[in-house]
Amino acid sequence: MPQNTIQSSTPTSSDGNGLNVRPDLLPESYLFIEKIPFSQAPTDKFGMTGDTTFRTTSRISYTGKIFTICQGQVLVQPNSDDPTKVNLILKPFTQPIKGLAIKYFIYRGLKASDFFGANQTINPISNATGFVKQIRDDFQKLYNMLNLTEPTLTAQYIGYPGTGSYAQTTDLLIDDFFFKISQEDAGSTNPNQKAFELPMIPRGTHLGTVSGSQSIGIDIVLNEGDYTIENDPNPFKLDLNFARLNNHILNSTSGANAFENKLIRESATQFIDIASFYGLHTHGKGKLHASNNGQNTVLQTNDEIYGAIEGFATAKTTYLYIQGSRQRSYNFYNNHPIGATTNDYKKGTTTANLVAGKFSEYWPLQELADTPSLAIQLTTDNNDAAALYVKQGILNVDTANEDYFIRGENLLQQADDNNTVDTALTKPIVFDVKKTSTGTNIGSFVQLIYEGKALEITNVVPPLNAGESLFLKDIDDVFGLINVTPHIQPKSTNELRYVIDQNLLLIDFENKRGGKDIATVTTKRVEDMIMNDENETLKRVTYETLLNNIRQGFEGFYQSRSAYQDNSNGGTITYSDTMNNFYSPEKPYYLKTEIFTGLDGNTITGLSIKTDEKTLPSKKLLGITKIENDKFSVLINQHQLNNPKFYLKNELSDETSKYNSLEGIEYKKYSLCIIGENHAGELTTVFPTDHVYVTTVDSMVFTSNEYAKFYPNLSKEIIFKLDLF
């Protein structure tokens, strides 16, 4: 399930002992309807509508104005059920909840007449909605600034399809409209209809009106990243067909095979309920702005916020999301059974009434209607790296944790003398649910990241020798984004792109005490060019982790600055033809070269990561050339692998062993492979015939020799002064 980072600058909350500190969410958004009564039929609620169907659109019966939930860009599309209605896609510019990355709010069923007339000309500014007034004012200012004659403002400027060259096919991705490059030349006689960027609209802007107790629907789509996956087998796409529906319902029988159906079920984790979104405003000093009798008001107490959402059929529903191995849902790989049963976890309202169940039997999230609290147990093999991170949710004070990381003795049960403890299950983990002053449960959601069992890979190409086995190591679940294409468009041949996967990962760092620090990270892929002489450049690809949160041992706490701010999901880097502006991680990190002689007598250039502070680095990198990276892209396509990542096969049988160079430098050497799901959904590792080797001298930076050998051996002062990025 997609996530974003929590800002380190936000205030913190803690328990009564000053422990278990984490930043307040500080939610702040606008109620998308007026603060007046509305109703919702149970059949129109968010969530499961049957064993094989899942409704992502929450639809209500309502009469009144509709508003923007947050500041963002707006795209308007037809409604496929009613030609007099339109759908509106709002892409947040400022995320309303820190730590929750929202890609789109989709309003389904607004009146087209609130936006434009029969000739698709945007309404005049007199008696118009706040949205129309805003875009008309911005449009006029744009053309005045360009010293151009202002053309007729038509619906095509806000993304609505027209005829001829303005026609749109429904397989176009929504992101294609938000990341297009637009240009208008001064003095142009034929204004380019695409030159006007999709408008940026403030929070709380009046969009339109629903009249006659008609209905309005809304979807909240979470953000996995602004990229396209090559040959993605998931039938569900965030395209115009999806954007134009009056209601959207996932159907897990609509795929071409069992694996496609499974991926459709996974897609349910890309959505959250609008009621639980507003319910989160009761967590951590939230502010819910609303229009009340024509006046703006701010709702802050639990009673006030619940009073604004109690018309939803899910106003008291808590949802449970659990991310498991390889950023899939819990038990996606069927590796979490309880004994010989088909159950995979236990749940209850307290530790006293836990009952075994099937988390992923139908859809990979649980709906808990009107639950006063939540207790769960997950399966584990008790490996020393087993850990859980609470991304969203309020842990009960009796659930021991390290700043919402749970591991070691806090997570794993110890056998007793009477053999009554099931050590194949974690300790119970208990969550509180926010309530009103009269004890009414307020809907929200709990989101967990869990790594509790070592995952064995049994499908290997070419097959392993007898007696060999492969298990997923910590580093093998990190570097993905191999075959993705960023949506952002470069403006020149010297502009290369970087892309970020916003899904959080659990990762370990070895510390000075010989133990492990645990962290949550996102991942980033960067393209760059490095000069090997004045006339030649080498294209390279770097994969790096971005620190989100870290717990160092069992003492002390450190939380990094944010890896990226809110909606900064990707970008471009412009390179100069006249200088060596190679990739370097952002300050306080820098790379240092280590040149040594391998056991085969060849010179190896390794890189290690340092900081300009008196701390250990909290970043891991993988660097290979673009030519080497392209080999793996071909391999992925040949074997039709989905969700591919790099698997690092140690050339030594023991992961703790190291080579010693002739100069006395210790290093490890790995052969890069690809791990992913084949067309049948089986987890598969593929070894290339033409090996690509990477070495590491610090177990933090893994680079091929071709990637590293041209990296200048510069001091940190010079690197920081160059300000390469």
Side-chain angles (χ1 to χ4, degrees), residues 100-133:
L100 183 68
I102 293 173
K103 191 176 187 73
Y104 307 124
F105 295 97
I106 301 182
Y107 300 73
R108 301 186 187 273
L110 294 164
K111 290 191 296 185
S113 59
D114 282 334
F115 296 85
F116 48 80
N119 60 355
Q120 294 189 5
T121 299
I122 298 296
N123 293 340
I125 205 165
S126 58
N127 299 319
T129 64
F131 173 80
V132 167
K133 291 177 181 178

Side-chain angles (χ1 to χ4, degrees), residues 7-13 22-26 285:
Q7 306 299 314
S8 60
S9 59
T10 54
T12 59
S13 59
R22 76 178 315 176
D24 285 320
L25 291 179
L26 298 179
K285 304 175 183 177

Side-chain angles (χ1 to χ4, degrees), residues 44 60 77-78 182 232 261 267 318 377 399 462 479 566 575 621 709 725:
D44 287 337
I60 62 172
Q77 284 288 300
S182 300
D232 184 3
N261 289 336
S267 298
T318 294
Q377 284 183 288
T399 298
F479 301 119
D566 289 332
Y575 291 84
L621 292 94
K709 70 180 182 180
F725 293 97

Side-chain angles (χ1 to χ4, degrees), residues 655-709:
E655 185 61 27
T656 62
S657 299
K658 297 179 180 179
Y659 291 105
N660 277 285
S661 75
L662 299 181
E663 296 82 2
I665 294 176
E666 292 185 334
Y667 68 98
K668 293 181 180 180
K669 183 178 180 180
Y670 295 88
S671 175
L672 285 185
C673 317
I674 289 293
I675 183 170
E677 300 139 9
N678 64 18
H679 63 279
E682 301 167 329
L683 197 57
T684 302
T685 299
V686 179
F687 290 76
T689 54
D690 184 12
H691 291 293
V692 175
Y693 294 103
V694 294
T695 58
T696 181
V697 295
D698 61 359
S699 295
M700 302 287 281
V701 180
F702 305 80
T703 57
S704 70
N705 201 49
E706 287 299 308
Y707 175 96
K709 70 180 182 180

